[in-house]
Amino acid sequence: TAYDIRLSLVGSEMCIRDSDDVVAAVLAERLAAVAVRPPVEEEVYDGGDEFGYERASGGRRKQGSARQLSPAALAELQADGGDAAGGRKRQRKKARKYDDDDDYPDAPRHGWSHTRCLVEAAVGCRVEDYFEAFERRPLASGSIAQVHRASRRGVDVAVKVRHPRVAFQMRVDSRLMVLGARCVEALPGLRGLRLSDTVHQFSASLAQQSRLDREADALRAFERNFRGWRDVNFPKPLLATPGVIVESFARGTLVNGLARDAKVRGDLTPRERRNGAHLVNRGEDIYLKMLLEDKLMHADLHPGNLLLDDRGGARRINVVDAGMVAVLSDDECEAFVGLVEALGAADAAAAARCVRRFDPANDERMSDDAKRAFDADVAALFATSCRGYGTGVDFGEVVRGVLTLIR
């Protein structure tokens, strides 16, 4: 049910609209107990319920640590007429001016008003009082948040700010996906696809991405795991809330940009060739360390989240955006290593066993006939595409083939 809560904030009115009565009740209860200038309430959904989110919320700060809106932020909200829908329209107009010369014009952007409100709620004072400089134009933007460059105490920092209503929209999307999965599973012969399980896992990953304080926890864990690696760096979180991270600024050139430039020119300079070889070799080291030693995986480790800093002749790889991580069990690691060994030995039977180990519950439900059929399909794939290492095998092609058989 739509709701409309109006609050008197130092002579201004702030309208909060949403479409979830549970969140409305939580906010109403929290705000009723708050004095004249309450802290900003952040919409937070956490993994745990049927759709991968827990209807948690409000999260009011304890007395003495309330983080309040500045008069400037309140003035901007008042300028929006107290209307959240109108405010969003104005934010979209502001965002469009950034799209003309950006590499990712389709990425969502939000306006300065929203950024100011969340940042000031996080730092507990005006943006101008906390930062010496703060660039209103975001450096980058994704589906969850956008990143601004700022300066504090003479040091450049990155400020990541979550888009408006992201958590709520994710919850709606999860509901729709669950409904669709259940409809498909109701059809004869399609229950075995187990789409509901897939949707639950995917929803949990989305929920994790919407919590920027969880991303800060992951960055700290990666920083501990790689503290002995001088040429690999993760941003250091300086402050984190569910909607904002202030972290050390990662310098360098995006790896996907380097690859794109090389493709356009059709040739590489000697320096670019050396940098490319370093990225491939060190990138493999990073991946295998996460997989085999730490059992904590950066689940979004693509070229757009890797920056190469080669200033002064020393190469450093900066890994950013740890919103999606995966914690692996010992059995999952052993199964993956076993699969790699099976590919190297061209052992189709061992590869099929290792793949089934990734989902023990499903393996137990499979009939003997289904297991034999799957083993036969893997054997046929290996006969045509995998004769072992040293024979020109395309590892990626074989893995894609195995995943196709799983589906």
Side-chain angles (χ1 to χ4, degrees):
T1 307
Y3 67 90
D4 184 347
I5 303 174
R6 293 192 177 275
L7 308 170
S8 177
L9 303 177
V10 197
S12 300
E13 283 194 337
M14 172 181 173
C15 176
I16 302 176
R17 298 181 187 274
D18 213 319
S19 58
D20 190 299
D21 53 348
V22 176
V23 178
V26 173
L27 282 172
E29 176 184 317
R30 292 281 191 264
L31 295 174
V34 178
V36 182
R37 291 179 64 189
V40 171
E41 302 287 346
E42 292 196 50
E43 175 193 32
V44 178
Y45 297 102
D46 196 0
D49 74 351
E50 179 183 6
F51 306 104
Y53 300 95
E54 177 183 338
R55 295 180 181 178
S57 247
R60 182 168 65 89
R61 305 277 179 190
K62 295 181 180 179
Q63 293 296 329
S65 62
R67 290 169 176 175
Q68 303 170 344
L69 296 178
S70 71
L74 289 172
E76 291 191 60
L77 286 172
Q78 189 177 24
D80 284 339
D83 182 2
R88 286 193 294 275
K89 290 180 181 178
R90 274 175 280 279
Q91 288 172 1
R92 285 194 291 271
K93 288 181 180 178
K94 292 178 184 178
R96 277 197 291 270
K97 70 181 181 180
Y98 297 141
D99 290 343
D100 297 335
D101 58 351
D102 193 81
D103 289 337
Y104 304 99
D106 295 329
R109 300 279 181 107
H110 62 252
W112 171 243
S113 176
H114 177 78
T115 294
R116 175 188 281 277
C117 288
L118 259 63
V119 171
E120 292 188 348
V123 303
C125 62
R126 298 171 67 246
V127 169
E128 293 83 358
D129 294 336
Y130 192 81
F131 299 99
E132 286 108 18
F134 195 107
E135 295 181 4
R136 294 192 178 195
R137 186 187 192 282
L139 286 174
S141 182
S143 58
I144 305 296
Q146 64 188 39
V147 180
H148 296 260
R149 184 172 183 168
S151 176
R152 174 165 166 77
R153 295 177 179 174
V155 178
D156 285 345
V157 296
V159 183
K160 190 171 184 177
V161 183
R162 189 171 64 184
H163 295 311
R165 297 171 58 83
V166 163
F168 170 76
Q169 189 60 53
M170 283 186 172
R171 183 160 170 258
V172 172
D173 292 344
S174 295
R175 286 178 180 269
L176 294 175
M177 288 191 294
V178 168
L179 177 61
R182 288 176 177 172
C183 291
V184 171
E185 290 177 336
L187 299 176
L190 297 181
R191 185 178 299 275
L193 292 178
R194 301 175 61 204
L195 289 180
S196 292
D197 291 345
T198 301
V199 169
H200 286 311
Q201 294 174 3
F202 184 64
S203 297
S205 297
L206 290 179
Q208 181 185 29
Q209 275 193 294
S210 72
R211 290 285 302 269
L212 299 188
D213 53 341
R214 296 281 182 84
E215 178 177 348
D217 292 338
L219 287 172
R220 294 186 187 100
F222 285 128
E223 187 181 16
R224 287 193 301 270
N225 293 341
F226 285 85
R227 59 179 174 267
W229 293 41
R230 295 185 178 181
D231 60 343
V232 177
N233 181 64
F234 292 82
K236 181 179 180 180
L238 307 175
L239 180 150
T241 69
V244 174
I245 296 181
V246 180
E247 61 189 21
S248 59
F249 191 83
R251 301 181 183 277
T253 304
L254 284 174
V255 172
N256 60 352
L258 294 173
R260 181 184 59 228
D261 293 344
K263 184 176 180 179
V264 170
R265 294 200 314 269
D267 194 11
L268 296 174
T269 65
R271 179 182 177 183
E272 290 172 335
R273 291 182 184 278
R274 290 193 296 270
N275 286 342
H278 177 78
L279 285 167
V280 172
N281 293 330
R282 207 51 170 159
E284 183 181 18
D285 293 340
I286 293 171
Y287 182 82
L288 292 177
K289 173 177 166 55
M290 291 179 177
L291 173 67
L292 303 178
E293 183 176 335
D294 303 330
K295 297 182 177 62
L296 178 66
M297 299 290 299
H298 188 304
D300 200 18
L301 201 61
H302 59 78
N305 285 335
L306 299 174
L307 295 93
L308 177 64
D309 183 2
D310 60 349
R311 294 174 302 164
R315 301 186 188 93
R316 176 188 290 266
I317 298 176
N318 289 313
V319 185
V320 300
D321 195 0
M324 290 183 65
V325 297
V327 180
L328 305 180
S329 66
D330 292 338
D331 288 341
E332 288 170 334
C333 289
E334 290 176 5
F336 186 86
V337 172
L339 175 61
V340 173
E341 291 178 343
L343 292 175
D347 189 341
R353 287 194 300 271
C354 291
V355 169
R356 293 203 307 270
R357 284 180 59 189
F358 284 120
D359 191 352
N362 184 61
D363 191 40
E364 292 178 0
R365 286 194 293 266
M366 288 180 67
S367 65
D368 291 338
D369 289 341
K371 291 180 181 179
R372 283 193 291 269
F374 179 73
D375 292 353
D377 288 341
V378 174
L381 173 66
F382 271 52
T384 58
S385 303
C386 184
R387 295 183 176 84
Y389 294 149
T391 63
V393 59
D394 187 332
F395 182 82
E397 179 184 351
V398 177
V399 171
R400 285 191 293 272
V402 172
L403 292 176
T404 301
L405 295 178
I406 293 173
R407 286 194 289 267

CSV table of all heavy atoms in Angstrom, one decimal, residues 225-227 229 284-297:
chain,number,residue,atom,x,y,z
A,225,ASN,N,44.0,-10.7,3.2
A,225,ASN,CA,44.5,-11.9,2.5
A,225,ASN,C,45.7,-11.6,1.5
A,225,ASN,O,46.6,-12.4,1.3
A,225,ASN,CB,43.4,-12.5,1.7
A,225,ASN,CG,42.3,-13.1,2.5
A,225,ASN,OD1,42.5,-13.4,3.7
A,225,ASN,ND2,41.1,-13.3,2.0
A,226,PHE,N,45.7,-10.3,1.0
A,226,PHE,CA,46.8,-10.0,0.0
A,226,PHE,C,47.7,-9.0,0.6
A,226,PHE,O,48.4,-8.3,-0.1
A,226,PHE,CB,46.1,-9.4,-1.2
A,226,PHE,CG,45.5,-10.4,-2.1
A,226,PHE,CD1,44.2,-10.8,-1.9
A,226,PHE,CD2,46.1,-10.9,-3.2
A,226,PHE,CE1,43.6,-11.8,-2.7
A,226,PHE,CE2,45.6,-11.9,-4.0
A,226,PHE,CZ,44.3,-12.3,-3.8
A,227,ARG,N,47.8,-8.9,1.9
A,227,ARG,CA,48.7,-7.8,2.5
A,227,ARG,C,50.2,-8.1,2.2
A,227,ARG,O,51.0,-7.1,2.2
A,227,ARG,CB,48.5,-7.8,4.0
A,227,ARG,CG,48.8,-9.0,4.8
A,227,ARG,CD,48.6,-8.8,6.3
A,227,ARG,NE,48.8,-10.1,7.0
A,227,ARG,CZ,47.8,-10.9,7.4
A,227,ARG,NH1,46.5,-10.6,7.0
A,227,ARG,NH2,48.0,-12.0,8.0
A,229,TRP,N,51.3,-9.0,-0.8
A,229,TRP,CA,51.4,-8.8,-2.2
A,229,TRP,C,51.6,-7.3,-2.5
A,229,TRP,O,50.6,-6.6,-2.5
A,229,TRP,CB,50.2,-9.4,-3.0
A,229,TRP,CG,50.1,-10.9,-2.9
A,229,TRP,CD1,50.3,-11.7,-1.8
A,229,TRP,CD2,49.7,-11.7,-4.0
A,229,TRP,NE1,50.1,-13.0,-2.1
A,229,TRP,CE2,49.7,-13.0,-3.4
A,229,TRP,CE3,49.4,-11.6,-5.3
A,229,TRP,CZ2,49.4,-14.1,-4.2
A,229,TRP,CZ3,49.0,-12.7,-6.0
A,229,TRP,CH2,49.0,-13.9,-5.5
A,284,GLU,N,45.9,-14.5,-13.1
A,284,GLU,CA,45.8,-15.9,-12.8
A,284,GLU,C,46.2,-16.2,-11.3
A,284,GLU,O,45.5,-17.0,-10.6
A,284,GLU,CB,46.6,-16.8,-13.8
A,284,GLU,CG,46.4,-18.3,-13.6
A,284,GLU,CD,47.3,-19.0,-14.6
A,284,GLU,OE1,48.2,-18.5,-15.1
A,284,GLU,OE2,47.0,-20.2,-14.8
A,285,ASP,N,47.3,-15.6,-10.9
A,285,ASP,CA,47.8,-15.8,-9.5
A,285,ASP,C,46.7,-15.4,-8.5
A,285,ASP,O,46.4,-16.0,-7.5
A,285,ASP,CB,49.1,-15.0,-9.3
A,285,ASP,CG,50.2,-15.6,-10.1
A,285,ASP,OD1,50.1,-16.8,-10.5
A,285,ASP,OD2,51.2,-14.9,-10.3
A,286,ILE,N,46.1,-14.2,-8.8
A,286,ILE,CA,45.1,-13.6,-7.9
A,286,ILE,C,43.9,-14.6,-7.8
A,286,ILE,O,43.4,-14.9,-6.7
A,286,ILE,CB,44.6,-12.3,-8.4
A,286,ILE,CG1,45.8,-11.2,-8.3
A,286,ILE,CG2,43.4,-11.8,-7.6
A,286,ILE,CD1,45.5,-9.9,-8.9
A,287,TYR,N,43.5,-15.1,-8.9
A,287,TYR,CA,42.3,-16.0,-9.0
A,287,TYR,C,42.6,-17.3,-8.2
A,287,TYR,O,41.7,-17.7,-7.4
A,287,TYR,CB,41.9,-16.2,-10.4
A,287,TYR,CG,40.7,-17.1,-10.6
A,287,TYR,CD1,39.4,-16.6,-10.6
A,287,TYR,CD2,40.8,-18.5,-10.8
A,287,TYR,CE1,38.3,-17.4,-10.7
A,287,TYR,CE2,39.7,-19.3,-11.0
A,287,TYR,CZ,38.5,-18.7,-10.9
A,287,TYR,OH,37.3,-19.5,-11.0
A,288,LEU,N,43.7,-17.9,-8.5
A,288,LEU,CA,44.0,-19.2,-7.9
A,288,LEU,C,44.2,-19.0,-6.4
A,288,LEU,O,43.9,-19.9,-5.6
A,288,LEU,CB,45.2,-19.8,-8.5
A,288,LEU,CG,45.0,-20.2,-10.0
A,288,LEU,CD1,46.3,-20.8,-10.6
A,288,LEU,CD2,43.9,-21.3,-10.1
A,289,LYS,N,44.8,-17.9,-5.9
A,289,LYS,CA,45.0,-17.7,-4.5
A,289,LYS,C,43.6,-17.6,-3.8
A,289,LYS,O,43.4,-18.2,-2.7
A,289,LYS,CB,45.8,-16.4,-4.2
A,289,LYS,CG,45.9,-16.0,-2.7
A,289,LYS,CD,46.7,-14.8,-2.5
A,289,LYS,CE,46.6,-14.2,-1.1
A,289,LYS,NZ,46.8,-15.2,0.0
A,290,MET,N,42.7,-16.8,-4.4
A,290,MET,CA,41.4,-16.7,-3.9
A,290,MET,C,40.7,-18.1,-3.8
A,290,MET,O,40.0,-18.4,-2.8
A,290,MET,CB,40.5,-15.8,-4.7
A,290,MET,CG,40.9,-14.3,-4.6
A,290,MET,SD,39.8,-13.3,-5.7
A,290,MET,CE,40.5,-11.7,-5.4
A,291,LEU,N,40.9,-18.9,-4.8
A,291,LEU,CA,40.2,-20.2,-4.9
A,291,LEU,C,40.8,-21.2,-4.0
A,291,LEU,O,40.1,-21.9,-3.3
A,291,LEU,CB,40.2,-20.6,-6.4
A,291,LEU,CG,39.7,-22.1,-6.7
A,291,LEU,CD1,38.2,-22.1,-6.4
A,291,LEU,CD2,40.0,-22.5,-8.1
A,292,LEU,N,42.1,-21.4,-4.1
A,292,LEU,CA,42.7,-22.5,-3.4
A,292,LEU,C,43.2,-22.2,-2.0
A,292,LEU,O,43.2,-23.1,-1.1
A,292,LEU,CB,43.9,-23.0,-4.2
A,292,LEU,CG,43.6,-23.4,-5.7
A,292,LEU,CD1,44.9,-23.8,-6.4
A,292,LEU,CD2,42.6,-24.5,-5.7
A,293,GLU,N,43.6,-21.0,-1.7
A,293,GLU,CA,44.2,-20.7,-0.4
A,293,GLU,C,43.2,-19.9,0.5
A,293,GLU,O,43.0,-20.4,1.6
A,293,GLU,CB,45.4,-19.8,-0.6
A,293,GLU,CG,46.2,-19.4,0.7
A,293,GLU,CD,47.4,-18.6,0.5
A,293,GLU,OE1,48.0,-18.8,-0.7
A,293,GLU,OE2,47.9,-17.9,1.4
A,294,ASP,N,42.6,-18.9,0.0
A,294,ASP,CA,41.7,-18.1,0.8
A,294,ASP,C,40.3,-18.6,0.9
A,294,ASP,O,39.6,-18.4,1.9
A,294,ASP,CB,41.7,-16.7,0.3
A,294,ASP,CG,43.1,-16.0,0.3
A,294,ASP,OD1,43.9,-16.4,1.1
A,294,ASP,OD2,43.3,-15.2,-0.6
A,295,LYS,N,39.8,-19.3,-0.2
A,295,LYS,CA,38.4,-19.7,-0.3
A,295,LYS,C,37.4,-18.6,-0.2
A,295,LYS,O,36.3,-18.8,0.3
A,295,LYS,CB,38.1,-20.8,0.7
A,295,LYS,CG,39.0,-22.1,0.6
A,295,LYS,CD,38.6,-23.1,1.6
A,295,LYS,CE,39.4,-24.4,1.4
A,295,LYS,NZ,40.9,-24.2,1.5
A,296,LEU,N,37.9,-17.4,-0.6
A,296,LEU,CA,37.1,-16.2,-0.6
A,296,LEU,C,37.2,-15.6,-2.0
A,296,LEU,O,38.3,-15.1,-2.3
A,296,LEU,CB,37.4,-15.2,0.5
A,296,LEU,CG,36.6,-13.9,0.5
A,296,LEU,CD1,35.2,-14.1,0.8
A,296,LEU,CD2,37.3,-12.9,1.4
A,297,MET,N,36.2,-15.7,-2.8
A,297,MET,CA,36.3,-15.3,-4.2
A,297,MET,C,35.7,-13.9,-4.5
A,297,MET,O,34.6,-13.7,-4.0
A,297,MET,CB,35.6,-16.3,-5.1
A,297,MET,CG,36.2,-17.7,-5.0
A,297,MET,SD,37.8,-17.8,-5.8
A,297,MET,CE,37.5,-17.3,-7.5
